[in-house]
Amino acid sequence: MYPPSRASLRRRGPALRAHSGPLPRRPISPHIRRRKGRSRWLALGVGLASLIVFVALAAGGLAGVAGVTTVAVLSEGLPDPATFEDLSFDQPTIVYDRTGKVELGRFERVQRRVVTYDQLPHLVIDASTSAEDRTFWTNEGYDPAQIVSAVAENVSGSSDRGASTITQQLVRARLLPEDVLAGNQYIRKAKEVIQSARLTQEFPGEAGKERIITAYLNQIYYGHNAYGIAAAARVYFGVTDLSKLTIAQAALLAGLPKSPSAYDPYKFAKKDKKGDLVVDPTSPPIVRRNYVLDGLRGARWTHLTSAQIATAERQPVVLVGDQPLTYKAPHFMWQVRDQLIHILGSAEKVDTGGYRVITSLDMRGQALAEKYVAAAAIAPNLGSRARAKLLGSLHIRKQDRGWIARLAGKDVHNAALVAIDYTTGDVLAYVGSAGYYREKLASRKFNPKFDVLSSGYRQPGSAWKPVLYSTAFEQHALTPGSLLLDITTKFGINPVTGKAWAPHDADNLERGPVRVRQALQYSLNIPAIRALGRVGNKAVADQAKKLGISFQGGGKTYEQAGLAGAIGTVEVRPIDLASAFGTLANGGLRVPPRMVLEIDGPDGKPVWKAPEPASQAKQAISPQAAFLTDDILNGNTDPAQNPIWSDVLELKNGPKGQRRPTAVKTGTTNDTRDLATYGFTAANAKGTAPTVATGVWMGNSDHSQPHAPANEAVISLQGPAPLWHAFMRDYTKGKPIGSFEPPKGVVQATIDAFSGGRPTSSTRSTVREWFINGTQPGAKHEVDPPGLLYN
């Protein structure tokens, strides 16, 4: 007899844990430890031996072998039932946002969620035992009467039923070798019975039964790719808390394991007038359900009256419907999967290991990013009514509808956005296309599944110039006060056209001598080409590598690009360039982008944690060179320095509406195939200001040139710039502001406004400018000598 108190028994050992690790093992008494070899099967008893002889003789292969000797023969090679303690289950890996509360999605080979015994309602247990094994709580792992009856019927050919108990079904699934499962069915049945008896003996009493039923309900297949009762409840009814199952629902689920395919309720379901998916009340799964309901009249805990059974039988079976696999932040999820495979070692571990993954994603930032990317790339390509409907559903404010409307007819169909905390490398928002699930809008120009940020290489255009100029500052080849000539010049022969290459500025103007500060702020092409001529392609390529930028085709690609590399003709990954901008914001300290913060095992214990950002940080460029670039780009959002760019890019969203110091650079390629904006906010000493670097790309998936009229072609200030601004405005609104503070090693000096050198007697006006100490005019390593206008 089993002890009557469940509570007292539970103290002997906990039930199956909700993870894929081993079962806790009960204490083993000395007399059980001594039970080895022949004594083990002899202890199974004469009754079982006789039963096994009957089953084995039915196979026709063991004639003349009798009694316990048969048990001994059949027991050879069977796994030790104690290995039940190590039983594990394939479980999905669940991915969450940075709070650990919002589920982004699951990577799974099968649908399963492991539950503990305490999470199994009595109703669910009773329904399962009523359907599959009504003597479960009292049998020794097998039911002799049922087995004898089944074998007799099978031999006579009148039936092919198996009469397997719950313990036998579990043994067959997890505790029999493959060669046994593939062999003679009667021999398999005999070994199955022996192993079930051994398992029950190894884990006796109520506590043992609780472990077995828990393992069974986590293991068994319910059809529709649902393994385990928890997955089945979700797949068929959308129920995630088993205590919420109705009597009729629990009975239907309990009836499915007998034949998951034949009883699949989805095969017999049709939508009613309300659109609900209702199962035919005369169908096999409903008949099976009603059989289970009848068995609940006198189950262990559940005692249904005839009236309750009749009510349950009348209850329509309404299915939740097949739920397509969807992810929040889908492009981000696929990047996370790649990283998990690298960390854990294989895709199999990711899909079956039952891990809990905490990522860097900020769902508030992700929602804003998806909102404005769709508004910028999807809405302008819809009809007026559909556009208004989409903008309304996205809650786009009136102040943003103007720039969105101006993109209509521009033939730009896709966009992407990434936001990174440049102090930690955390990827806060990641939108690889204008709509991963917008398949109905898919075309050559809009591929919703392709991830532009990490899988695509795009020309950055003038957004490349900060990398160029910061390299020149680092190499002491230029200063912000250096003079460059903005006059159209033939720089050589274009290898494609065979004609002289004489590039122009975007506005086709010529400004003559300009200082580097103005050349970068106003994104002048000709001075940038001259700057590259001074510093050299190899120096820029080497610096780009330190900043984490890779080129399509390898490092030599930039060197082979010649002077054209100055204006962003060499393709890079947008996420790399966004991270490089963040490095400039972080005082030249590069912290690689990261998406996975922590991986917990099925038992809830951490198995991997991302290294501390400080341990990953490397000085990619000097703080001094980084600051000079930051200070110049900050002028692009300051009306006093750059009224044209700042009209679109200025952020006035501090706690009291103050201007937020922000460094930004736009980029438009010559043929407008690629449009970009990259920029970052300034930090503060307290660490309370947002430290966000954001990159935006717009264009077409097939890299085709937009077919808008020449005089109406979109440029970066009209597309990605207002998109970047809208995201950053909302994401950083009301948060403390920072400033771009000069590091040690930079100084201010007064220079000749027209030559960039030290003022002389012929100087007509002066300006104050920042320099790396030692490179200012008059210093030992001055870059710009006095009196020299241009050479």
Side-chain angles (χ1 to χ4, degrees):
M1 294 294 291
Y2 299 132
S5 170
R6 295 179 66 202
S8 64
L9 278 163
R10 195 164 290 117
R11 287 194 293 270
R12 296 178 59 191
L16 181 65
R17 296 173 183 169
H19 62 80
S20 60
L23 290 166
R25 186 168 188 174
R26 65 174 178 82
I28 300 177
S29 63
H31 75 275
I32 291 181
R33 283 197 181 92
R34 289 194 300 270
R35 195 181 297 153
K36 301 291 184 180
R38 293 178 60 86
S39 63
R40 196 63 170 272
W41 54 258
L42 282 170
L44 292 175
V46 176
L48 175 59
S50 300
L51 178 65
I52 295 305
V53 169
F54 179 80
V55 175
L57 288 175
L62 291 173
V65 181
V68 293
T69 305
T70 305
V71 177
V73 171
L74 293 173
S75 295
E76 291 180 0
L78 291 179
D80 187 341
T83 59
F84 181 63
E85 292 185 323
D86 302 321
L87 192 65
S88 62
F89 302 94
D90 288 354
Q91 295 188 71
T93 289
I94 306 176
V95 181
Y96 295 88
D97 72 338
R98 65 186 300 107
T99 69
K101 297 178 180 178
V102 179
E103 182 180 322
L104 304 181
R106 301 178 177 212
F107 300 124
E108 58 190 7
R109 180 173 297 175
V110 298
Q111 297 190 63
R112 176 186 275 123
R113 179 173 66 86
V114 175
V115 292
T116 64
Y117 181 78
D118 290 336
Q119 292 172 313
L120 293 169
H122 285 165
L123 171 63
V124 168
I125 296 173
D126 280 346
S128 298
T129 55
S130 295
E132 295 293 325
D133 186 0
R134 296 189 179 185
T135 65
F136 170 76
W137 294 100
T138 58
N139 66 42
E140 295 298 324
Y142 59 95
D143 188 330
Q146 290 293 324
I147 292 175
V148 171
S149 175
V151 170
E153 290 180 14
N154 291 347
V155 171
S156 68
S158 60
S159 172
D160 62 353
R161 67 190 181 98
S164 294
T165 63
I166 280 175
T167 308
Q168 286 175 256
Q169 292 179 54
L170 180 62
V171 162
R172 186 188 313 141
R174 301 304 296 268
L175 291 174
L176 285 182
E178 289 294 329
D179 61 326
V180 172
L181 294 173
N184 181 285
Q185 63 171 320
Y186 295 103
I187 299 299
R188 174 189 60 76
K189 177 64 71 173
K191 288 176 178 283
E192 179 185 297
V193 171
I194 292 172
Q195 191 72 324
S196 297
R198 295 173 74 200
L199 178 62
T200 304
Q201 186 182 78
E202 180 72 22
F203 296 92
E206 180 101 351
K209 289 291 186 178
E210 288 178 1
R211 293 186 183 195
I212 291 170
I213 190 67
T214 304
Y216 169 83
L217 289 172
N218 280 304
Q219 167 67 36
I220 205 71
Y221 181 54
Y222 287 82
H224 238 68
N225 200 34
Y227 289 79
I229 186 67
R234 182 170 64 90
V235 165
Y236 291 109
F237 301 118
V239 173
T240 55
D241 181 350
L242 294 176
S243 67
K244 304 296 184 184
L245 287 170
T246 67
I247 294 172
Q249 289 173 337
L252 183 134
L253 294 178
L256 297 180
K258 181 177 178 64
S259 182
S261 177
Y263 292 128
D264 184 351
Y266 278 106
K267 290 183 177 180
F268 307 95
K270 292 183 180 180
K271 287 188 177 182
D272 63 10
K273 295 179 179 179
K274 296 180 181 179
D276 293 332
L277 197 59
V278 182
V279 180
D280 181 352
T282 64
S283 62
I286 302 301
V287 174
R288 174 72 173 159
R289 178 201 68 175
N290 295 345
Y291 164 78
V292 177
L293 284 171
D294 189 66
L296 288 173
R297 293 177 185 274
R300 191 176 196 201
W301 294 287
T302 308
H303 305 287
L304 298 184
T305 64
S306 295
Q308 288 174 313
I309 292 174
T311 299
E313 288 177 343
R314 288 194 300 269
Q315 182 179 326
V317 174
V318 181
L319 304 178
V320 69
D322 287 330
Q323 303 297 310
L325 177 65
T326 58
Y327 295 138
K328 292 181 174 70
H331 284 117
F332 178 82
M333 280 288 289
W334 290 117
Q335 291 298 320
V336 166
R337 177 178 172 80
D338 287 344
Q339 293 188 20
L340 290 176
I341 292 173
H342 176 74
I343 295 169
L344 297 173
S346 71
E348 182 179 6
K349 287 185 177 180
V350 174
D351 293 335
T352 65
Y355 298 100
R356 181 175 186 268
V357 180
I358 308 299
T359 68
S360 61
L361 198 74
D362 180 346
M363 285 306 296
R364 175 174 166 269
Q366 181 68 18
L368 288 172
E370 291 177 357
K371 165 182 174 175
Y372 286 116
V373 166
I378 299 297
N381 294 295
L382 301 176
S384 57
R385 288 187 178 180
R387 183 189 314 155
K389 183 179 180 180
L390 175 60
L391 295 179
S393 67
L394 294 173
H395 303 290
I396 301 298
R397 292 177 293 182
K398 185 177 180 180
Q399 69 185 100
D400 291 309
R401 297 206 177 197
W403 65 264
I404 294 170
R406 286 190 287 274
L407 289 172
K410 304 299 186 190
D411 195 34
V412 176
H413 295 263
N414 203 3
L417 183 152
V418 61
I420 303 172
D421 183 331
Y422 55 76
T423 63
T424 63
D426 289 356
V427 176
L428 304 171
Y430 190 99
V431 181
S433 78
Y436 186 91
Y437 294 112
R438 297 183 184 273
E439 289 95 344
K440 291 183 180 180
L441 300 176
S443 66
R444 288 187 304 104
K445 296 186 176 182
F446 173 52
N447 182 346
K449 295 295 188 283
F450 184 74
D451 180 359
V452 176
L453 296 174
S454 294
S455 301
Y457 282 83
R458 297 293 182 265
Q459 291 185 3
S462 291
W464 180 255
K465 291 171 183 173
V467 177
L468 164 62
Y469 282 110
S470 62
T471 305
F473 298 152
E474 182 80 344
Q475 298 291 321
H476 296 179
L478 291 170
T479 74
S482 297
L483 207 69
L484 294 170
L485 198 59
D486 183 28
I487 296 176
T488 302
T489 305
K490 294 179 181 180
F491 288 99
I493 302 298
N494 186 322
V496 177
T497 65
K499 298 179 181 179
W501 185 52
H504 299 271
D505 293 329
D507 56 11
N508 290 316
L509 299 178
E510 296 180 352
R511 294 166 180 79
V514 295
R515 295 192 305 279
V516 164
R517 178 175 290 274
Q518 284 69 45
L520 178 52
Q521 281 183 353
Y522 285 96
S523 196
L524 303 179
N525 290 336
I526 301 171
I529 294 167
R530 298 186 188 279
L532 180 57
R534 287 201 191 184
V535 71
N537 286 64
K538 187 177 187 309
V540 176
D542 291 345
Q543 183 61 69
K545 183 178 180 180
K546 293 178 182 178
L547 291 170
I549 297 172
S550 63
F551 301 103
Q552 192 171 32
K556 293 291 183 181
T557 305
Y558 191 82
E559 295 181 45
Q560 295 166 354
L563 294 179
I567 53 177
T569 59
V570 182
E571 296 173 330
V572 298
R573 299 195 314 163
I575 191 173
D576 291 346
L577 192 54
S579 176
F581 268 69
T583 299
L584 295 175
N586 201 32
L589 201 61
R590 180 176 185 266
V591 183
R594 64 178 188 175
M595 298 180 181
V596 178
L597 302 183
E598 182 176 329
I599 304 173
D600 297 334
D603 58 359
K605 296 179 181 179
V607 298
W608 184 88
K609 284 191 175 183
E612 288 297 319
S615 68
Q616 301 296 297
K618 292 184 179 180
Q619 199 70 47
I621 194 169
S622 70
Q624 295 77 26
F627 167 76
L628 297 183
T629 306
D630 298 349
D631 186 63
I632 294 173
L633 296 181
N634 182 34
N636 285 346
T637 64
D638 183 357
Q641 296 187 57
N642 191 336
I644 299 174
W645 266 251
S646 65
D647 186 53
V648 177
L649 298 169
E650 182 185 18
L651 292 177
K652 296 186 69 174
N653 67 346
K656 297 182 180 179
Q658 310 102 306
R659 172 184 171 267
R660 185 178 300 280
T662 313
V664 190
K665 186 69 191 74
T666 62
T668 306
T669 57
N670 255 0
D671 50 13
T672 67
R673 294 175 192 268
D674 294 297
L675 310 166
T677 298
Y678 294 83
F680 46 85
T681 56
N684 63 12
K686 295 181 179 179
T688 57
T691 49
V692 187
T694 297
V696 173
W697 169 88
M698 290 187 71
N700 290 324
S701 296
D702 62 355
H703 219 198
S704 61
Q705 182 177 1
H707 293 303
N711 61 336
E712 296 180 14
V714 67
I715 60 173
S716 56
L717 271 179
Q718 297 167 324
L723 166 53
W724 180 96
H725 178 268
F727 170 80
M728 291 290 275
R729 175 199 65 211
D730 289 4
Y731 190 62
T732 64
K733 183 179 180 181
K735 296 182 180 179
I737 62 173
S739 60
F740 296 105
E741 296 295 328
K744 292 181 180 179
V746 296
V747 296
Q748 271 190 310
T750 300
I751 61 173
D752 187 296
F754 295 97
S755 72
R758 179 163 45 88
T760 65
S761 57
S762 61
T763 295
R764 287 185 260 176
S765 63
T766 60
V767 294
R768 296 281 289 174
E769 188 54 88
W770 287 104
F771 296 87
I772 296 175
N773 194 18
T775 65
Q776 71 271 28
K780 183 176 181 181
H781 302 290
E782 67 176 3
V783 175
D784 308 299
L788 183 65
L789 291 177
Y790 196 82
N791 184 14

